[in-house]
């Protein structure tokens, strides 16, 4: 006689409650949009040290930027050429800053930044991800807009301060992406579940942050 398997809703409830809580936290901490992040209290850096500190802080104090950098690091997990994905992003971000300083307009930059967080979070959720070349290209395109937003904080600074700023935000972004890659690699070995892996949970949170920033940018 064939046994009928009963669906145990209460067994799955804690797992999905945790997912909902993570997404909720992501939405709550993303309530304040990051239109122009200034780590120097709104002042333009006036020396190498201030420029470097501003560059280090800028990608961290903007949650939309920070979430994207984590996403691009996590996407490198398990890929042979994974290190090139965040590398393409940080190099393009420098170009994006240069575009801003040349007074070339990149329209709807904040909207594109939010959409990039949603898209890369969604790629983490998907089982079948695009190949690393496409991910690197998409990351580079996003990097232009992220870098363009970074450029707002350095307008009017001298070449020394500009060099320090670019050095700071390049180092911190690749450092955060690399840390996310290492942590994600370890976490996927320990915390994967049958239904939702660690990377998928992270993708849901990152996408939820992007949705909140997108709504704020549009409104």
């Amino acid at each position: 006689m064939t046994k009928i398997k009963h669906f145990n809703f209460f067994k799955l409830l804690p797992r999905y409650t945790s997912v909902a809580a993570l997404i909720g936290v992501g939405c709550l901490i993303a309530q304040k949009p990051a239109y122009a992040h200034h780590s120097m209290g709104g002042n333009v850096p006036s020396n190498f040290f201030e420029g470097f500190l501003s560059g280090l802080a800028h990608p961290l104090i903007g949650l939309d930027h920070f979430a994207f950098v984590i996403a691009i690091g996590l996407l490198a997990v398990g890929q042979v050429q994974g290190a090139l994905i965040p590398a393409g992003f940080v190099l393009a971000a420098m170009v994006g800053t240069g575009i801003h300083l040349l007074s070339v307009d990149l329209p709807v930059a904040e909207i594109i930044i939010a959409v990039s967080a949603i898209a890369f979070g969604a790629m983490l959720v998907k089982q079948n991800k695009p190949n690393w070349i496409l991910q690197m290209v998409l990351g580079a395109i996003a990097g232009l807009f992220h870098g363009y937003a970074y450029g707002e904080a350095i307008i009017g600074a001298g070449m020394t301060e500009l060099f320090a700023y670019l050095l700071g935000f390049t180092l911190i972004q690749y450092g955060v992406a690399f840390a996310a890659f290492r942590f994600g690699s370890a976490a996927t070995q320990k915390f994967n579940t049958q239904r939702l892996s660690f990377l998928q949970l992270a993708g849901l949170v990152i996408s939820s942050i992007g949705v909140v920033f997108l709504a704020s940018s549009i409104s």
Side-chain angles (χ1 to χ4, degrees):
M1 185 176 183
T2 303
K3 294 183 178 180
I4 300 175
K5 293 183 179 180
H6 295 283
F7 177 72
N8 193 337
F9 171 79
F10 293 101
K11 184 177 180 180
L12 295 177
L13 184 60
R15 179 181 299 163
Y16 289 104
T17 301
S18 300
V19 174
L22 283 171
I23 296 174
V25 169
C27 291
L28 287 173
I29 60 180
Q31 286 298 314
K32 186 178 180 180
Y35 287 99
H37 317 294
H38 289 277
S39 59
M40 309 303 297
N43 298 319
V44 177
S46 59
N47 54 54
F48 182 94
F49 181 69
E50 288 184 356
F52 186 69
L53 284 182
S54 182
L56 288 177
H58 203 99
L60 302 181
I61 60 180
L63 184 60
D64 47 351
H65 299 295
F66 186 61
F68 181 85
V69 175
I70 290 177
I72 207 165
L74 292 176
L75 276 171
V77 172
Q79 302 200 52
V80 177
Q81 304 292 340
L84 295 177
I85 301 172
F89 166 74
V90 297
L91 291 174
M94 287 193 287
V95 175
T97 299
I99 289 173
H100 197 143
L101 296 177
L102 290 172
S103 299
V104 178
D105 184 46
L106 284 184
V108 295
E110 292 297 335
I111 291 177
I112 298 298
I113 290 169
V115 170
S116 70
I118 297 171
F120 274 68
M123 279 194 277
L124 285 170
V125 176
K126 285 175 58 67
Q127 292 287 352
N128 298 319
K129 299 176 178 57
N131 65 60
W132 69 270
I133 296 176
L134 179 57
Q135 291 180 46
M136 185 177 68
V137 170
L138 293 174
I141 294 172
L144 291 175
F145 289 89
H146 284 258
Y148 182 84
Y150 297 157
E152 183 67 26
I154 201 68
I155 292 177
M159 290 302 298
T160 299
E161 294 78 17
L162 174 59
F163 173 78
Y165 183 75
L166 293 174
L167 178 64
F169 83 60
T170 299
L171 289 176
I172 194 65
Q173 286 184 117
Y174 201 83
V176 169
F178 182 74
F181 164 72
R182 293 298 298 270
F183 183 80
S185 298
T188 52
Q189 301 298 321
K190 293 185 178 181
F191 303 115
N192 276 5
T193 64
Q194 185 178 357
R195 292 180 179 271
L196 284 173
S197 70
F198 168 80
L199 294 181
Q200 289 174 314
L201 288 173
L204 289 171
V205 175
I206 290 167
S207 288
S208 70
I209 291 172
V211 167
V212 174
F213 274 90
L214 179 60
S216 298
S217 298
I218 293 174
S219 62

